Amino acid sequence: MQIAIALFDRFTALDAVGPYEILSRAPGAEPVFVAERAGAVRNDSGTLELVAHRTFDQVPAPDLVIVPGGPGQHHQMENENLLGWLRGADAASTWTTSVCSGSLLLAAAGLLKGRRATSHWLALDQLSGHGAEPTGERVVFDGKYVTAAGVSAGIDMGLTLLGRIAGDRTAQAVQLLTEYDPRPPYDAGSPDKAPADLVEEWRGRSRFILR
Amino acid sequence: MQIAIALFDRFTALDAVGPYEILSRAPGAEPVFVAERAGAVRNDSGTLELVAHRTFDQVPAPDLVIVPGGPGQHHQMENENLLGWLRGADAASTWTTSVCSGSLLLAAAGLLKGRRATSHWLALDQLSGHGAEPTGERVVFDGKYVTAAGVSAGIDMGLTLLGRIAGDRTAQAVQLLTEYDPRPPYDAGSPDKAPADLVEEWRGRSRFILR
């Protein structure tokens, strides 16, 4: 099972590494980081680089596609090198997935028309502009399309998808080996739960942090 | 606040990227990936590379040290380039932390003598051989030493530590922005919760997966 994780300038690292860490442990998984050009790709803050080992052209037909989000997503919305690759890869894939604002790239490629999908809570309302039906759920399955909410939600997506691909016992084994028994010290992980003034503060700043 | 994340051959990616994603969002954070040699460092499965931008020598006195674990930890237990750097960095640091079997490296450097600490559940019993007091807790604070359990526990450690460093409101904002409202689809994330036969199966295999 070839798993292509797409990278682009100013992606968010955990968006990519969360589902990678889970799904790369599937039996027979062959994960590969891909980008427009092979080599190091810089994340949103510019302080982390992940290496893309292959170009998009070199990985035309993966079994599973993972598209992370991040502030750089905004600048990829008309990049036909990426969007064209997504369309071609999707034509071959068994699963096409995204984390965070990565769903906006799937949507921009025309892959989410009429489908239920999610995104980072600050980007959610942009999905409908591309014909998708936004939901506030954390992990959304619609046929072979699987979208996750912001950043850390990719871990839940990875584990849920791993159960579908490899069975519950394998997914439970990966949960055990990654010791995924979360205990957040606060309960502010969604706009429904965080203090209302904090949510409003970041809604106000969103046009800066999303670009 | 300079945050040094140490990399070594066959580290586990999420061990490093989980706390990085959280703590690099602290006001004034200056995260830097460090290793024995600058350049790409390969993870446990050999399919992911993170770039170390500095050598250990170039980052002698970070404010915060993060040591990930992974199967490669075993081969670093007598590497004085790493252990010596850890001792020097720790002499300067405000916080010295680890994720997963990274605590065995702190212990091998002599930094956890008489201290309570945790590790990956499969590595926990090795801590006492280095004079530390193992606990099965997910995140353990003992003075300036903070250790996290396996892989994903580094996210909880990062958020807890961020609250101590930058205050509850900043930590809650980062939880909201990373949408860390976990919903694992299974409840098998610790040896206490996973099916007993799965735990035993992996205990039997541990000498293979930890090296």
Side-chain angles (χ1 to χ4, degrees):
Chain A
M1 177 175 67
Q2 190 181 49
I3 303 174
I5 306 107
L7 299 179
F8 50 84
D9 186 49
R10 299 180 67 222
F11 72 104
T12 293
L14 187 56
D15 290 16
V17 173
Y20 163 85
E21 191 67 65
I22 302 294
L23 288 161
S24 67
R25 294 168 186 254
E30 292 173 15
V32 56
F33 288 89
V34 295
E36 207 164 335
R37 282 174 291 277
V41 183
R42 213 163 263 260
N43 79 332
D44 44 18
S45 71
T47 56
L48 176 150
E49 289 181 300
L50 263 177
V51 176
H53 292 112
R54 296 281 180 274
T55 62
F56 292 142
D57 290 348
Q58 293 173 317
V59 184
D63 302 291
L64 199 168
V65 177
I66 301 175
V67 183
Q73 158 267 321
H74 179 72
H75 300 280
Q76 301 292 326
M77 291 293 277
E78 296 181 354
N79 179 357
E80 271 304 315
N81 288 325
L82 171 59
L83 302 185
W85 175 77
L86 278 177
R87 286 184 206 102
D90 177 66
S93 76
T94 306
W95 299 98
T96 296
T97 80
S98 66
V99 179
C100 197
S101 58
S103 59
L104 295 176
L105 293 169
L106 296 184
L111 303 179
L112 296 181
K113 285 212 172 73
R115 296 194 178 273
R116 296 174 69 252
T118 191
S119 195
H120 192 284
W121 63 277
L122 283 169
L124 196 58
D125 60 2
Q126 296 175 51
L127 275 172
S128 49
H130 300 277
E133 187 188 318
T135 88
E137 293 160 45
R138 187 160 174 83
V139 176
V140 176
F141 279 72
D142 187 336
K144 74 172 195 177
Y145 299 91
V146 194
T147 52
V151 194
S152 64
I155 298 173
D156 290 332
M157 180 187 80
L159 209 52
T160 308
L161 184 53
L162 182 60
R164 299 269 190 112
I165 291 171
D168 291 341
R169 189 172 168 92
T170 296
Q172 287 175 317
V174 170
Q175 185 181 11
L176 176 61
L177 291 171
T178 57
E179 240 174 306
Y180 186 46
D181 181 23
R183 308 265 182 84
Y186 307 96
D187 192 18
S190 79
D192 296 339
K193 294 178 173 181
D197 63 326
L198 200 61
V199 174
E200 284 320 301
E201 179 186 331
W202 286 97
R203 271 198 207 284
R205 291 191 199 178
S206 69
R207 66 197 171 102
F208 302 107
I209 62 170
L210 292 181
R211 294 183 181 192
Chain B
M1 178 176 65
Q2 190 181 47
I3 303 174
I5 306 106
L7 299 179
F8 50 84
D9 185 49
R10 299 179 66 223
F11 73 103
T12 293
L14 187 56
D15 290 16
V17 173
Y20 163 85
E21 191 67 65
I22 302 294
L23 288 161
S24 67
R25 295 167 185 254
E30 292 173 16
V32 56
F33 288 90
V34 295
E36 208 165 332
R37 283 175 290 276
V41 182
R42 212 164 264 259
N43 79 332
D44 44 18
S45 72
T47 57
L48 176 150
E49 289 181 300
L50 264 177
V51 176
H53 292 114
R54 295 283 181 274
T55 62
F56 292 141
D57 289 349
Q58 292 173 317
V59 184
D63 301 293
L64 198 167
V65 178
I66 301 175
V67 183
Q73 158 268 322
H74 179 71
H75 300 280
Q76 300 294 326
M77 292 293 277
E78 297 181 353
N79 180 356
E80 272 303 315
N81 289 324
L82 171 58
L83 302 184
W85 175 76
L86 279 177
R87 286 184 207 104
D90 177 66
S93 76
T94 306
W95 299 98
T96 296
T97 80
S98 66
V99 180
C100 199
S101 59
S103 59
L104 295 176
L105 293 169
L106 295 185
L111 304 179
L112 296 182
K113 285 211 173 75
R115 296 194 177 273
R116 296 173 70 253
T118 192
S119 195
H120 192 285
W121 63 277
L122 282 169
L124 196 58
D125 60 2
Q126 295 175 52
L127 275 172
S128 49
H130 300 277
E133 187 188 318
T135 88
E137 293 159 45
R138 189 160 173 83
V139 176
V140 176
F141 280 72
D142 187 336
K144 75 174 196 178
Y145 299 92
V146 195
T147 53
V151 192
S152 64
I155 299 173
D156 290 331
M157 180 186 81
L159 210 52
T160 308
L161 184 53
L162 182 60
R164 299 270 190 111
I165 292 171
D168 291 341
R169 190 172 167 92
T170 296
Q172 286 174 318
V174 170
Q175 184 181 12
L176 176 62
L177 291 171
T178 57
E179 240 174 307
Y180 186 46
D181 181 23
R183 309 266 180 86
Y186 306 97
D187 191 18
S190 79
D192 296 339
K193 294 179 173 179
D197 63 325
L198 199 62
V199 174
E200 284 319 300
E201 180 186 331
W202 286 98
R203 271 198 206 283
R205 290 192 200 178
S206 68
R207 66 199 172 104
F208 302 108
I209 61 171
L210 291 180
R211 295 184 180 188

